[in-house]
Structure formats: C-alpha cells, structure tokens
Amino acid sequence: MLNPWRLRLLHQLHLLGTVRAVAEAAHMSPSSVSQQLATLETEAKAQLFERVGRRIRLTPSGVTLAGHASDILDRIAAAEADLAGLHSEATGVVRLAGFTSAFHGIIVPAVAALAQEHPRIQVELTEAEPLVSRPALQRGEVDIAVCADFPDAPVPPDADLTRLPLTGDRVVLVTARETAAAERTGRVDLATLADEPWAFEHPGAHLADLAERLCRRAGFTPRTVARFESHGTLLGHVEAGLSVTLLPLLAVHDRYAVRTLDLIDPPRRDIHLIARRTTMDRAAVRVVVDALRHQARSA
C-alpha cells in the first residue's frame, strides 16, 4: 500500500529537484526525507531513484509515480472534505495565494463575504506574486492562486491547471492631487513627463521593469528618486508630491490622496485565478472560486 505522506515527498522531489529542498519545504532533516523515500521505493516494489554523484534523481518509474501523486493527494483532500461536509454546507480549509494589488480590491472583500455566508469554510491567505504562487500551486502548497500577466509575458498553459478569468486592469499614471501633472486632461503622453521625478519598485519586479520600459519607449530615461518594496510606501511617496509613478489601476488604493490619469495606449494585464483540476472537485474550493469571480465582476 502506497503511503500518501511519502507520495507527497516524492511529488515535491520531482518539482524541487533535491532532497535538501524537499527537507526545507517539509521542515524535516535531509536524512529523514531520504529514509522515507527509501521506504516508498520498497512499498512501490520498483526502482524510483538513481544516484548521480551525490544527488538522486527519479527513474522513469519515479517520474510516472510522481505524476500520479498530485492527483492522488487532491483526491484524498476532496474525500476528506466531502465526508466532513456530508449533509451540510461546504466546509474545510482552502489555501489561497494572491499578488499584492489583488488583495484590497478582490481577495479581502471576497473572503469577508465568505466569512458571513459560509462560516465553516476557513480561507488561509498568502501574499505572493505569480512567480511564487504558481509553483506553490503546482507543489500542492496552495489550492487557488490569483495571478496576473501582461501580453509581453504570457504564462504557458498547464494541462493540470484550470484557469478562470477574473477581470482586466490597465496601467495608469499616478500623481499627487495637488501637482501640475494632476491638472492634465485627456490621455497622457509619457514623453511630456520626462522631467518629473519618478518612483518605482525595486529592479527585477515585473511592474517596475515594465514602467521603466514604457518611459524609455517614450524617448527618455526616468529620473528615479526612490525605490520601494510595497505599493503602499510607493503611493505614500507619490501622495506627498515627491514623485510620479506608473501602476496598474487595481494597485492604487483609494485611501491615498493621489490622482490616476489614463495613458495613450496603456498596457493591460489579465487577472485570473488558477487551481489544480482535481482540487476543483472540492465543494469549498468551488465556493471560494465563485466568491472571487463575483467580487472581481463588481470591483
């Protein structure tokens, strides 16, 4: 009989590549992980691993079993949730990851509504950008991920994942309310803002790289006066009249005294959720998905 817990370790080894990485993810010692994988190999009655130098890698049999492991684990979770909620409402824990700017406009209002309408569903939230949340979804660490991508950086499809649209979003110019830039009317030509002080996220963040590319495409290198980790501190800097910036509209919280102005031909991003196909069999997951889609339509 194959042990589901050991199957999870095998699945993580297939995704993460090393026993040490699996040990860190599972909060175990590498030797304990190796012992459990060896036991799984005995249970499977097949050679699942082969040694390459100081590392091990999956044999074709190991890859085959790892491919089934995610489905098996999701089916077990679905069965447990169905049994727990038999003759009752949807119940259980649903793990949801989402990128920063989706929280105040979509995720938090949806979870607040769920707390009132489905009190037996517990939603565990993790703030994570798509580059982090999508692999976490594939590893089985979260059940749903709210993601976004731009046409210049599309995410390749995955046959094991369900992708459902939520809403669209566009990049806008953000200024303080009491500045010359805020007095503009109509759509903004970025070339006219070449002399403004600019603030962005740190280099490497997709939105920061996109914003700086847009400025260069308009014919200038932005005079960057500040870099920030979070949208909140970035918007606070803009609110104080110290800079202007470019952000997706969803990232601009209305608690900041800033003004948003549309650009000529603004980049648009697609906001969607993804979930493993087998996870969608769980009633609680479907309820959370429906709540997210309803909130996105009304946002």
Side-chain angles (χ1 to χ4, degrees):
M1 181 70 70
L2 298 176
N3 182 287
W5 178 62
R6 297 187 185 105
L7 284 176
R8 183 177 295 279
L9 295 178
L10 174 70
H11 180 58
Q12 289 183 321
L13 178 63
H14 182 47
L15 292 171
L16 299 176
T18 67
V19 169
R20 182 170 298 277
V22 174
E24 291 176 356
H27 305 291
M28 298 169 61
S29 68
S31 60
S32 295
V33 172
S34 296
Q35 291 171 4
Q36 294 301 322
L37 291 174
T39 301
L40 177 64
E41 193 170 49
T42 300
E43 292 173 343
K45 298 181 177 63
Q47 183 182 354
L48 304 179
F49 316 101
E50 58 187 3
R51 187 163 293 281
V52 180
R54 299 179 63 182
R55 299 173 60 180
I56 63 169
R57 69 182 180 192
L58 272 61
T59 64
S61 295
V63 171
T64 297
L65 184 57
H68 289 290
S70 180
D71 287 348
I72 291 170
L73 295 169
D74 283 341
R75 290 292 183 184
I76 290 172
E80 290 173 342
D82 285 347
L83 288 173
L86 194 62
H87 306 307
S88 184
E89 60 196 278
T91 186
V93 176
V94 177
R95 299 161 299 169
L96 170 61
F99 61 95
T100 303
S101 57
F103 264 76
H104 78 267
I106 299 175
I107 295 174
V108 169
V111 173
L114 282 167
Q116 297 296 319
E117 298 171 13
H118 296 276
R120 297 190 65 186
I121 296 178
Q122 178 184 341
V123 183
E124 294 183 353
L125 296 178
T126 300
E127 183 180 355
E129 294 303 306
L131 286 176
V132 175
S133 63
R134 186 181 178 94
L137 181 74
Q138 292 170 318
R139 291 193 299 268
E141 295 170 4
V142 299
D143 301 307
I144 304 168
V146 176
C147 299
D149 56 46
F150 287 92
D152 68 332
V155 177
D158 186 323
D160 294 330
L161 302 180
T162 294
R163 172 175 168 145
L164 297 172
L166 290 177
T167 187
D169 199 9
R170 67 187 185 280
V171 173
V172 295
L173 175 72
V174 189
T175 76
R177 288 178 183 167
E178 304 298 330
T179 65
E183 295 174 1
R184 296 165 181 263
T185 58
R187 294 183 179 272
V188 174
D189 181 353
L190 278 183
T192 64
L193 296 161
D195 295 330
E196 294 285 339
W198 289 83
F200 302 108
E201 294 176 280
H202 287 290
H206 181 69
L207 293 179
D209 294 345
L210 172 66
E212 293 181 82
R213 286 201 308 274
L214 291 174
C215 292
R216 288 193 292 270
R217 190 183 304 165
F220 69 96
T221 298
R223 178 166 61 90
T224 305
V225 298
R227 297 276 186 181
F228 297 101
E229 290 284 353
S230 73
H231 293 155
T233 49
L234 172 56
L235 287 167
H237 194 264
V238 172
E239 179 183 43
L242 299 174
S243 62
V244 298
T245 193
L246 294 171
L247 283 175
L249 186 59
L250 191 63
V252 184
H253 198 290
D254 56 12
R255 71 171 177 266
Y256 295 97
V258 297
R259 184 181 176 197
T260 60
L261 299 168
D262 283 329
L263 304 175
I264 297 173
D265 191 24
R268 298 180 181 275
R269 63 177 179 172
D270 168 49
I271 299 172
H272 54 277
L273 65 83
I274 52 177
R276 294 185 305 282
R277 293 187 183 280
T278 48
T279 305
M280 290 291 289
D281 290 339
R282 291 174 51 198
V285 171
R286 293 196 301 271
V287 168
V288 174
V289 166
D290 289 343
L292 291 168
R293 300 188 76 185
H294 175 77
Q295 179 59 36
R297 287 193 295 269
S298 60

